[in-house]
Every structure is written in C-alpha cells, then in structure tokens.
Amino acid sequence: MWGLDAGMRAQDDSHDHDHWVALDKAHCWHPFTPQDLWCDPQHDPLMLVKGDGVWLEDDAGHRYIDGNASIWTNIHGHAHPTINQAIQQQLSKVSHSSYLGYAHPLASELACELAAQFPDSSLQRVFYSDNGSTAVECALKMAIQYRMQCGEAQRDTFVAFIDGYHGDTMGAASLGGVDAFFARFRKFGFPVEFVRSLEELRALECLGRVAGVIIEPLVQGVNQVHVWPEGMLAELRAFTSEQGIHLILDEVMTGFGRTGKMFACQHEEVVPDFLCLAKGLTGGYLPLAATLVREEIYDAFRGDRSRAFYYGHSYTANPLGCAAALASLQVFAEEQTLERLPAKIQQLSEALQQLQQASPWVHSTRQCGMVAGVELRARDGQAFPANRRVGDAVCLAARQYGLLTRPVLDTIIILPPLSINAEEIHHIFTAITQAISDTLGDSAEIL
C-alpha cells in the first residue's frame, strides 16, 4: 500500500516525529496554507526526509511517488548521481560568490548553454535571479525601463491572461489572474489589462500603451491545467510583433521538457522577447532563475550609469545552482531525456482516457506533454461545493497508496519527474483511482 517496501521509523533520540511536528507548528509558516487547519492538533504533517529517483520517503519509512515533482521543479529524479557530483565538486571550491562586480566560470558556461537552446542566436543575454517570480519581475522591469530609454514612456501597461499565474513578488502578483491570490495586491503593482483570449487582446483600445504581453505558453498550470488552442502562441507572436509589443513567455513551469520539448515555445517555433525560466533549471535542486533577453533589448541598457539595470539579488548566479543547472543539461543529453518522452506522454494520455472512462467522478482530463490534470465533479457534472475540498481529500487518500501530489481546487495535478518509468506511471493511476473510490464511493474500476 505504501509503494515500495516500508521501513521502520528512523530512530533518533533527539529528533523524533512528534518533536519535529511540535517545532513546525510552533515556529513555521507554510505557503498557500490556512494556518489554523495546519496547526489543528488532529493534523499530523508528513515529514519528508529522503528522495531517490521519483520516490520520496517520510520519517516513518513510507515511500511515495513524487507525483507533482516537488511543486513542478524536479526533472531527473531525486539524488541523481550526476547532479549530486556536480554540486559536491563545486562545494569543494566555493559555495557562493557575489555576481555584483565579479564573474565566475559556471555562470558564463550556463549562460552560453541557455542561449544555445535558440540556435538562431535570438536570445543571447541571460540575467540571473532566484526563482520564477523574480525571473518574471526582471522581465517586467526591463520591459518598462527599455521603453523609457527608447523614447516610448507612454508604453507603461502590460496585458496578462485571466487565471494566469506568474509569481508572488509585487510586480508579478499584479499580473496574476487568480483573484483569490492576487486581487488585494493588484493596485500596488504595474498597470495591467486582463484578457481571456487573443481575440480580446486584439480588441483592446489601449494597444498603443502596452509594453508587453505575458503568457504561460501552451498550458496554464495553476488554472487547473488549462491548455491553449493549438496555434494560439504563434498567432500571439505574430500579433505582438506587428504591434511593436514585447512578448514575455513565462516558462517557469513549462520549461525543461515538461511539454515534450525543451521549451514549450519550440512547439510552435516561437521566439519571445523575454523568456523566464526557473523551477527545472537546476533539475529541481537549488533556487536559480534566468531571464533570457534579445540582444536589441540589452543594447538599450548600454551607455552611462543612468541606463544600467539596477536590480539584483544576493544569491544571483549562485555557483552551486549553476553547477546543478549545467549538470541537468548534461543529463538531458546523456540520458536522451527528450527523446524518451513521446512514449511516456502516450502512456500518460492512454491512462487518462482509461481513468475518465472508468470513473463517473472524473469530469474531464487535460494534458500537455507530461503535464496533466484530472478534474473531479459530481455525477451530474456540477462542481463540488468548495467547502467539501474534494481535491484535497483525494490527494490525502492517495498517500495511502504511495502517491504524493496536490490539487488545484478539485483538479488533481499529475506532473512527475521526467525520469519516471512505465511501471511508476501505472502506479500513479492505480493510486489515484483507488483514492477517488475511497473518497467518493466505490464506482471506479482499478486500472
């Protein structure tokens, strides 16, 4: 029931499970989490202590498939020897050095490798930061300062898509399209117009004031795995180019193989003006982000000090993160990660179809490469009352069958490390099927 063989709880006289939980509830504040529910005496948090491949292990020795890749970050599995070795080798040299006024070899090499992913030399400049939100924040500030320095200060507005998610720093939050997360903060950020489609974008009357359009290409993750129509991204690129508007692609979730290619934009041969990367950049090991920019945008920041981009973080281009990122790209090449994805994507597609056919609780399934969502609804097709928290209940039940994942509302997210094999994909769907049955009734045949 717990995946692979369960071990005994690790014995540690000074740090047992109850001690860790007590410390957590006394001092820790968890993201996106109602704290009263977390700190309820009846709530026993899962304490994760080890990872190996696609598996995570808790302090009781129970093993679970990492079904959402540790919040969409892990690419090649946990404790991958190539990435481990790269980090260990860098640790023996230097763990961190400032990138303000200095350089280091790994940042130089990584920037070259990232630029080489676009062989037409269109995205040649790499600005490092810490996470997906700051990668987006960089792009937004660059886009505004570019307009100021090019005599287009009137272009001070952005366009974003409803139900999109671009991070939680103030500028990125102002472009977030999920009201529950961002509505209270929008007035403190950038001017923004929200649209649902390319048609609504074309109809805007303020296009002459728009500096940039931001989108999660091919699929919105936080919007319950909403997949954009085929060809939409290419049309968006053509329209923004025609209007002199910068296209900002948020590939924080979709980058590094998630959609079947290294970057989602490559499916439609689109090159943006800004490409925002994080999460899988280091293989899911360490915080590191990159904003890739066209050379002509970089050129607008050349000149005297007044034109410089005054933005940065203490851990910008952290050498350990760069070491992990270079090792991750090495693994892509050595293990032919992208070449092996079509068969896994096909298996995932077939399993989703079988699950929808088997369970009356599965209203729909959505997939983009190795990103999938299973939306649960009542038998009549109506959404469950929000206070039932069905998605949470199903994910909690799935732990009993060796699967960890999180829902978005009542959509179960399936987004495992790309290293997952056929048996482990089967395990995911067996666990989800049983968890749905346990939560909503015995109405789905086990796959």
Side-chain angles (χ1 to χ4, degrees):
M1 181 178 287
W2 292 98
L4 300 185
D5 293 341
M8 300 297 291
R9 181 184 301 278
Q11 298 299 313
D12 186 323
D13 293 338
S14 61
H15 291 94
D16 61 13
H17 178 82
D18 292 340
H19 178 69
W20 285 328
V21 170
L23 292 178
D24 181 290
K25 292 187 177 184
H27 301 292
C28 298
W29 191 342
H30 290 260
F32 295 93
T33 303
Q35 292 306 118
D36 282 350
L37 293 175
W38 180 268
C39 293
D40 189 302
Q42 300 302 311
H43 176 234
D44 187 20
L46 197 65
M47 284 284 174
L48 298 174
V49 298
K50 186 178 178 181
D52 180 20
V54 302
W55 296 88
L56 290 167
E57 185 174 319
D58 68 15
D59 61 334
H62 300 138
R63 301 189 76 191
Y64 316 83
I65 287 182
D66 189 357
N68 71 353
S70 296
I71 304 298
W72 312 353
T73 62
N74 193 279
I75 299 292
H76 307 292
H78 299 275
H80 193 288
T82 298
I83 304 177
N84 284 3
Q85 182 181 25
I87 295 172
Q88 289 164 359
Q89 288 178 347
Q90 185 57 36
L91 272 173
S92 68
K93 299 175 182 177
V94 60
S95 60
H96 183 61
S97 58
S98 174
Y99 207 58
L100 175 58
Y102 307 98
H104 66 82
L106 296 185
S108 303
E109 293 179 9
L110 178 58
C112 182
E113 291 284 342
L114 292 173
Q117 299 297 320
F118 295 86
D120 61 355
S121 300
S122 50
L123 292 172
Q124 282 298 286
R125 294 293 169 173
V126 178
F127 191 95
Y128 293 112
S129 61
D130 295 356
N131 58 72
S133 184
T134 58
V136 170
E137 199 86 7
C138 288
L140 301 177
K141 287 190 171 183
M142 287 174 178
I144 291 295
Q145 187 172 338
Y146 171 89
R147 299 295 179 175
M148 292 177 175
Q149 294 177 180
C150 291
E152 299 180 308
Q154 78 280 4
R155 286 189 178 267
D156 62 357
T157 299
F158 291 99
V159 174
F161 287 83
I162 290 174
D163 293 325
Y165 179 90
H166 302 292
D168 301 318
T169 52
M170 194 61 76
S174 63
L175 273 66
V178 182
D179 282 346
F181 297 161
F182 305 122
R184 68 194 72 181
F185 300 117
R186 286 203 188 103
K187 68 179 181 179
F188 301 106
F190 294 105
V192 59
E193 296 284 340
F194 287 96
V195 297
R196 294 186 181 276
S197 64
L198 182 54
E199 289 69 30
E200 289 189 9
L201 170 61
R202 289 191 176 109
L204 288 177
E205 297 181 356
C206 63
L207 290 175
R209 294 191 289 106
V210 175
V213 174
I214 188 168
I215 190 172
E216 300 157 88
L218 299 194
V219 56
Q220 291 178 316
V222 174
N223 188 17
Q224 303 180 78
V225 190
H226 167 76
V227 181
W228 293 110
E230 184 176 351
M232 182 269 201
L233 186 63
E235 289 185 45
L236 178 61
R237 171 72 284 187
F239 179 74
T240 53
S241 296
E242 173 189 309
Q243 296 292 322
I245 295 170
H246 284 148
L247 178 60
I248 304 168
L249 295 189
D250 178 351
E251 292 232 25
V252 172
M253 185 269 284
T254 58
F256 300 100
R258 293 293 182 200
T259 64
K261 291 185 180 291
M262 186 62 81
F263 302 112
C265 60
Q266 292 171 333
H267 285 274
E268 299 190 11
E269 300 182 351
V270 164
V271 179
D273 302 294
F274 299 88
L275 181 68
C276 304
L277 306 174
K279 288 192 183 292
L281 175 57
T282 65
Y285 270 64
L286 291 165
L288 184 69
T291 305
L292 276 60
V293 183
R294 287 183 181 269
E295 189 75 9
E296 58 265 31
I297 294 173
Y298 171 82
D299 285 342
F301 291 80
R302 300 169 72 99
D304 62 34
R305 288 179 175 271
S306 68
R307 299 179 71 83
F309 185 54
Y310 289 111
Y311 184 95
H313 296 271
S314 299
Y315 286 89
T316 291
N318 171 256
L320 295 179
C322 291
L326 283 166
S328 177
L329 293 175
Q330 178 184 340
V331 174
F332 267 104
E334 291 179 348
E335 298 186 0
Q336 297 186 305
T337 303
L338 296 178
E339 292 80 359
R340 294 181 178 183
L341 286 181
K344 299 178 184 183
I345 292 169
Q346 181 61 32
Q347 182 186 359
L348 183 61
S349 176
E350 293 171 357
L352 288 167
Q353 293 175 21
Q354 293 175 32
L355 178 61
Q356 184 163 2
Q357 293 169 359
S359 174
W361 306 111
V362 176
H363 174 73
S364 64
T365 61
R366 295 177 287 278
Q367 179 187 8
C368 181
M370 292 298 290
V371 180
V374 176
E375 185 179 355
L376 304 176
R377 292 193 185 183
R379 291 174 182 268
D380 61 2
Q382 297 298 307
F384 291 107
N387 61 5
R388 285 194 61 183
R389 300 177 63 202
V390 168
D392 287 330
V394 170
C395 289
L396 185 61
R399 294 183 186 180
Q400 301 299 317
Y401 304 97
L403 173 65
L404 293 183
T405 189
R406 287 177 61 89
V408 176
L409 300 178
D410 291 332
T411 295
I412 311 303
I413 303 299
I414 302 170
L415 198 155
L418 302 184
S419 56
I420 195 167
N421 64 33
E423 180 181 355
E424 291 160 341
I425 292 174
H426 180 80
H427 183 107
I428 285 178
F429 282 88
T430 299
I432 289 176
T433 303
Q434 187 61 63
I436 293 172
S437 178
D438 288 355
T439 305
L440 296 172
D442 188 14
S443 56
E445 179 184 354
I446 303 302
L447 300 178

